[in-house]
Amino acid sequence: MVNWFWRKKPTDGDAAETPVQPAVDTPVQHPGPDAPIEALASVIAPATPMPAKDDYADAAPAAAPGKSGWRERLKGSGMARSLGGLFSRNPKLDEELLEEIETALLTADVGVKATTTLVDDLRSRMGRREFADANALLAALREDLIAMLRPVAQPLSIDGTAKPFVIVTIGVNGVGKTTTIGKLARKFRDDGRSLMLAAGDTFRAAAVAQLQAWGERNGVQVIAQGQDADAAAVAFDAYTSAKSRGTEVLIADTAGRLHTQTGLMDELGKIVRVLGKHGPDVPHEILMVIDGTTGQNAISQVRTFSAKVPVTGLVVTKLDGTAKGGVVFALAREFGIPIRFAGIGERPEDLRVFDPEAFVDALLPASLGQ
């Protein structure tokens, strides 16, 4: 009988990284989705918190709460600099101003569709003489930007009756996916929720070890097998374990993969299908992590991933520093997928529930001269 769960070795074309020596136990053969619970064999990381360790000794302090924290972290972004500088010159209310706004939005990765929508609205209203001065146009631009984001500003809601509520995280290499899982684990633990993690990035042994470190640090159980184990098997095993323990939230990691890697993208679909054997609503959330510095490439990433699995939420990371930030508007305009969280710093507290008013406030001054 063919063991359905064992992973097919990736070809050279599929490989995102060269596998390294696994840092976990040698995987046992998984019995499959129809096996009894007693037959499941997983490695469960201890749920006892490790001694306190400052993993952020070199990181900036957590951003201040509220809008001031957003403003502090995003003021250096490309979009904030270009738009803020434009209006700080107290420009004339004319077509040249609209052209400069259009250039600034495109340069900040807002995208052609979103930029055209925004500038056409301002041009139409300016033609109707709705703006007394550039200050009024600035206020209108701020409101248009916020209005574009409001429909996608939908916080993640955990269904307490699901047990476990299953979150599958996806994304390309290097977007901060595993780190985001660790920060979410800290958030849910601090909220008093029982939690389990599934180390589904079996392509890299280092990723398994990284997730186990997060689990040990936060006192969260981690279900793991060895390198090259079938990621769908790990997810299935983790769900069964979480269900038997009455765990409230299960977060499953997956291997980072380029959206052009057909084999690995097919594997992602398999993970979701296997979890779906537990019920039509499982997984409850497929959370895609986007690097805010990738610009318009994020559009093609979301489009390709959405063709394989139903992406239900986005996390945009690395918005602090020099990230242009405009891709958030492009994503909202193109897909309308809820943006659950935004990363504005390295510390766990800097993973913020997405706030469109705070985001736009950080990018544009409330009035000229600010």
Side-chain angles (χ1 to χ4, degrees):
M1 177 177 179
V2 177
N3 191 330
W4 178 78
F5 266 119
W6 276 104
R7 177 178 185 159
K8 178 182 177 182
K9 288 283 187 177
T11 63
D12 291 339
D14 288 340
E17 300 183 35
T18 303
V20 297
Q21 185 65 30
V24 297
D25 295 337
T26 302
V28 296
Q29 184 169 344
H30 196 281
D34 299 322
I37 293 177
E38 303 81 43
L40 295 173
S42 294
V43 178
I44 304 180
T48 303
M50 295 291 285
K53 176 185 175 182
D54 187 0
D55 296 286
Y56 303 98
D58 299 325
K67 287 186 177 181
S68 60
W70 289 79
R71 196 178 300 118
E72 168 198 334
R73 290 300 170 83
L74 272 65
K75 64 183 179 182
S77 72
M79 186 171 182
R81 290 198 308 272
S82 59
L83 286 175
L86 171 63
F87 281 98
S88 67
R89 296 194 298 270
N90 196 15
K92 295 180 180 179
L93 193 62
D94 55 17
E95 182 64 27
E96 183 178 349
L97 171 59
L98 292 178
E99 291 178 357
E100 289 190 38
I101 292 173
E102 183 176 38
T103 299
L105 293 173
L106 289 172
T107 303
D109 288 325
V110 172
V112 174
K113 291 181 180 179
T115 296
T116 300
T117 298
L118 290 164
V119 174
D120 284 352
D121 178 68
L122 293 176
R123 181 175 286 111
S124 175
R125 295 173 65 181
M126 192 166 71
R128 295 195 298 268
R129 300 185 182 279
E130 292 186 19
F131 308 132
D133 51 27
N135 232 335
L137 186 145
L138 169 61
L141 175 59
R142 283 171 56 94
E143 185 52 44
D144 282 352
L145 289 170
I146 293 172
M148 186 172 287
L149 297 179
R150 277 199 186 105
V152 300
Q154 301 175 31
L156 179 62
S157 178
I158 304 297
D159 181 0
T161 66
K163 289 193 176 180
F165 184 90
V166 181
I167 302 171
V168 174
T169 59
I170 63 176
V172 302
N173 303 306
V175 295
K177 184 165 46 61
T178 305
T179 300
T180 297
I181 292 174
K183 293 178 179 180
L184 285 174
R186 173 78 65 85
K187 172 180 172 54
F188 292 140
R189 188 206 64 182
D190 290 348
D191 289 344
R193 297 185 183 276
S194 58
L195 181 71
M196 187 176 288
L197 306 180
D201 184 355
T202 58
F203 189 71
R204 294 186 304 119
V208 175
Q210 183 183 5
L211 199 68
Q212 287 178 322
W214 275 107
E216 292 170 355
R217 193 177 301 135
N218 295 317
V220 175
Q221 291 182 328
V222 178
I223 302 297
Q225 295 183 25
Q227 185 180 356
D228 292 336
D230 191 293
V234 176
F236 182 90
D237 191 348
Y239 182 94
T240 304
S241 299
K243 185 74 172 178
S244 67
R245 290 167 173 78
T247 302
E248 293 178 85
V249 181
L250 169 64
I251 307 178
D253 192 10
T254 61
R257 63 204 75 211
L258 297 177
H259 51 292
T260 55
Q261 293 175 310
T262 303
L264 289 175
M265 291 299 291
D266 288 342
E267 179 191 71
L268 188 61
K270 177 183 173 183
I271 293 170
V272 173
R273 289 195 305 273
V274 168
L275 283 170
K277 293 179 181 293
H278 292 289
D281 296 329
V282 182
H284 304 92
E285 177 84 0
I286 299 179
L287 200 58
M288 183 168 180
V289 182
I290 298 291
D291 183 337
T293 67
T294 58
Q296 289 298 296
N297 190 40
I299 301 297
S300 59
Q301 291 174 19
V302 175
R303 184 178 293 116
T304 307
F305 274 80
S306 295
K308 285 295 181 182
V309 296
V311 179
T312 57
L314 301 176
V315 179
V316 185
T317 63
K318 307 179 186 179
L319 287 174
D320 55 313
T322 58
K324 295 178 181 179
V327 70
V328 173
F329 299 98
L331 291 168
R333 173 65 174 75
E334 186 79 17
F335 302 104
I337 298 173
I339 300 176
R340 308 296 195 188
F341 300 96
I344 62 171
E346 295 181 45
R347 295 181 180 271
E349 303 92 328
D350 291 328
L351 183 67
R352 300 284 186 92
V353 173
F354 183 65
D355 182 338
E357 285 82 5
F359 183 69
V360 172
D361 184 68
L363 299 176
L364 272 174
S367 62
L368 295 177
Q370 290 191 354

